[in-house]
Amino acid sequence: TFIRENLTSFNAPGNDDWTKVANVLAKFANMPTVDYSDRQYVSKSKTQQQFNPERYDVRQISGEKVPYILYKRGFSAECVKDFGDSVKLIRDLNLTSFDGYNIGFPYRHADSGRVTGYEIRGNGGFKSKAAGTQSSNSFWSADFGADSPQAVRNVYLFESSFDAMAFYQLNKAKIAMSPFAVVSTGGAFTESQVQMVMKKYPAARLVDCFDNDLAGNVYSANLVKHAEKKDLQVSCTENAAGERTMHLSYKNRTVECPANDFSFKDAAKEIGLNYETGHWKAPKNYKDWNDSLLGNQIKNTVTPSKYERDRNLAEKRKSSFKM
């Protein structure tokens, strides 16, 4: 919205506002701009860009000093060392306007182990993916306490690698009781990506560690849907007043609640949906695990969901005096 309201300041090419907005964002991400009036170019652009490892200078992180980006995120030298080759320094050689290094989390194909891209994080909240990263069939992961992926017993899934590292640093003593892995899907994920995770870790239980927000709860629903082949549907509607309502349907039952109150775990219980996937989200007054590590609480503490309010009211009624 900000870009669209200030398009004249960006001097972006395009025949309409949305093409111009897309080209501004493409410029920021060091990606090719697109002129949608060129039908021939549109046809060619449908071919997915291939990840080119030669485009990136990738280096090992020294064990002597934690890079500032990771230090600012609260990670200890011991934590960074534990993740070894799963965390790199990365520089885009095509990006001449910035010659520094960001943090790169290598995405690997579940079968071959070949690097197919990088999840990239930098200062100022910068986040991106390397051009051509194959997010649909690969992901970032780090294994602990296992000689092979087949020995892993629990897989903890996150929206970002930073959250995975924070979870590890905060809960290392608890989760190290059995072989485990942490996985980042880089945000929204596809069914094929979930199947790839399950294929790599065939004996493991999946544990949802997504964010404590609406998107994180929708991801929780989709994880169960794709991993366990549940015929469930999650959707959102908005009325004329702008009020949003979430709908979760399973078999012949549907539960509805205001979007701000939506909790997949509670809604699933309400409609009798049983599943094996676990949940281990950050404490409720934190948006995600990295915020929990940093102590950055949500300014307006998350209010109890509709289901929690109903349970609390029922308990109060039981304990109150009867007239």
Side-chain angles (χ1 to χ4, degrees), residues 1-208:
T1 302
F2 172 79
I3 293 172
R4 191 183 184 198
E5 291 174 352
N6 296 274
L7 277 175
T8 56
S9 301
F10 292 98
N11 192 29
N15 294 330
D16 59 78
D17 284 1
W18 294 114
T19 302
K20 293 177 181 179
V21 170
N23 285 330
V24 171
L25 294 172
K27 185 177 180 181
F28 283 142
N30 195 36
M31 298 292 286
T33 57
V34 177
D35 181 0
Y36 290 104
S37 63
D38 187 341
R39 297 296 178 183
Q40 186 176 2
Y41 186 89
V42 172
S43 178
K44 290 181 179 179
S45 69
K46 290 180 180 179
T47 302
Q48 188 172 14
Q49 185 176 3
Q50 295 296 314
F51 170 67
N52 177 18
E54 300 299 322
R55 173 173 169 171
Y56 298 92
D57 178 14
V58 180
R59 299 187 180 185
Q60 196 74 16
I61 294 178
S62 170
E64 300 176 359
K65 186 178 180 180
V66 176
Y68 178 71
I69 301 172
L70 295 176
Y71 171 79
K72 189 176 180 181
R73 288 281 184 162
F75 301 119
S76 66
E78 180 183 1
C79 176
V80 176
K81 181 180 178 181
D82 287 350
F83 276 86
D85 287 339
S86 296
V87 186
K88 302 280 191 177
L89 292 173
I90 186 171
R91 181 166 72 94
D92 187 347
L93 299 176
N94 286 6
L95 187 60
T96 57
S97 60
F98 177 68
D99 60 358
Y101 286 82
N102 290 310
I103 301 299
F105 299 94
Y107 274 42
R108 298 181 184 275
H109 195 279
D111 291 329
S112 65
R114 176 176 55 89
V115 174
T116 60
Y118 288 88
E119 184 179 318
I120 302 174
R121 296 291 183 268
N123 284 322
F126 173 77
K127 57 183 178 179
S128 180
K129 285 184 179 178
T133 296
Q134 303 297 309
S135 301
S136 62
N137 56 22
S138 57
F139 48 87
W140 175 83
S141 64
D143 299 358
F144 296 91
D147 295 330
S148 67
Q150 290 73 27
V152 169
R153 290 295 174 264
N154 291 295
V155 174
Y156 303 97
L157 291 100
F158 303 83
E159 294 181 39
S160 81
S161 303
F162 275 162
D163 287 336
M165 291 180 67
F167 172 83
Y168 171 86
Q169 186 166 314
L170 288 167
N171 301 291
K172 181 179 178 181
K174 298 178 183 178
I175 59 181
M177 302 299 291
S178 60
F180 68 92
V182 291
V183 168
S184 169
T185 62
F189 52 86
T190 63
E191 181 176 3
S192 62
Q193 197 175 30
V194 174
Q195 298 304 320
M196 281 287 184
V197 172
M198 298 175 67
K199 184 177 182 180
K200 181 175 181 179
Y201 304 105
R205 181 193 186 208
L206 300 183
V207 182
D208 147 38

Side-chain angles (χ1 to χ4, degrees), residues 25 45 53 98 118 120 213 217 220 224 227 232 249 268 271 274 298:
L25 294 172
S45 69
F98 177 68
Y118 288 88
I120 302 174
D213 57 11
N217 275 285
S220 300
V224 171
L232 64 90
S249 301
I271 60 175
N274 297 314
I298 298 173

